[in-house]
Amino acid sequence: MAPNSPDPEAVEACGANLLQILNHASLAIMISIGHRIDLFDTLAGMAPATSQKIADQAHLNERYVREWLGAMVVGKIVNYDASKKKYSLSPEQAACLTREAGSNNMAAFAQYIPMLGSVERDILDCFKNGGGVPYSRFEGFHRLMAEDSGQSVLPELFSSILPLVPGLMESLGRGIDVLDVG
């Protein structure tokens, strides 16, 4: 090997790592799609089913549901029984991917990936010209933040968050004025 030549094993390891990152990024977008169109919630409420039955239950186009299911199976997000041609979501998977999972619903957080991708050109421009990217360019940001807070902050507000400030619960009970600066 010539001086300053790359180590072939290190190049292979680097390439494998980058390929895994790209695969996971693609899966994150597919997870976001599944969350946005309620496919995880639909699957969690069904016995193992064909792509047609899942599409019918979700009121979606079967071809797109089948393609999405294929990506989810390859990513080990959804289970597939090839002998019966049926898809399913285990209770453990549902505990991480459905709205019923509350703050454990990782599918909701996957929505940040496509949102960030949608402003890539704006960010590239910032690298060249400085400045920033206004909230208005992040389509759906407030909807996503409300969903995020609804599953992570609101369920913990009275039991864990407000009690962190000594005397706050009692003061709130007496009817103090509050300013929400968000």
Side-chain angles (χ1 to χ4, degrees), residues 117-132:
S118 74
V119 294
E120 180 183 28
R121 283 191 177 132
D122 297 288
I123 294 169
L124 288 169
D125 186 64
C126 290
F127 272 85
K128 294 176 183 176
N129 302 309

Side-chain angles (χ1 to χ4, degrees), residues 37-87:
I37 56 177
D38 298 324
L39 275 168
F40 291 117
D41 296 307
T42 298
L43 271 167
M46 298 178 72
T50 64
S51 59
Q52 184 65 60
K53 188 163 185 165
I54 295 164
D56 291 346
Q57 181 75 24
H59 307 290
L60 297 169
N61 181 287
E62 188 276 336
R63 175 183 172 236
Y64 285 90
V65 169
R66 181 172 17 96
E67 295 288 342
W68 177 83
L69 286 164
M72 294 294 93
V73 168
V74 169
K76 298 180 175 141
I77 310 294
V78 169
N79 305 312
Y80 181 63
D81 182 335
S83 66
K84 296 179 183 176
K85 297 185 179 184
K86 291 185 176 183
Y87 301 87

Side-chain angles (χ1 to χ4, degrees), residues 6 11 25 32 56-57 60 67 75 79 88-89 92 98 100 107 113 116 125-126 128-129 141 144 149 158 161-162 167:
V11 169
S32 173
D56 291 346
Q57 181 75 24
L60 297 169
E67 295 288 342
N79 305 312
S88 64
L89 202 60
E92 295 78 15
T98 63
E100 191 173 304
I113 304 303
L116 288 172
D125 186 64
C126 290
K128 294 176 183 176
N129 302 309
F141 177 78
L144 179 52
S149 294
F158 292 101
I161 297 171
L162 294 176

Side-chain angles (χ1 to χ4, degrees), residues 156-170 172:
E156 301 296 322
L157 188 61
F158 292 101
S159 62
S160 302
I161 297 171
L162 294 176
L164 291 172
V165 179
L168 181 58
M169 295 294 288
E170 295 79 16
L172 288 169

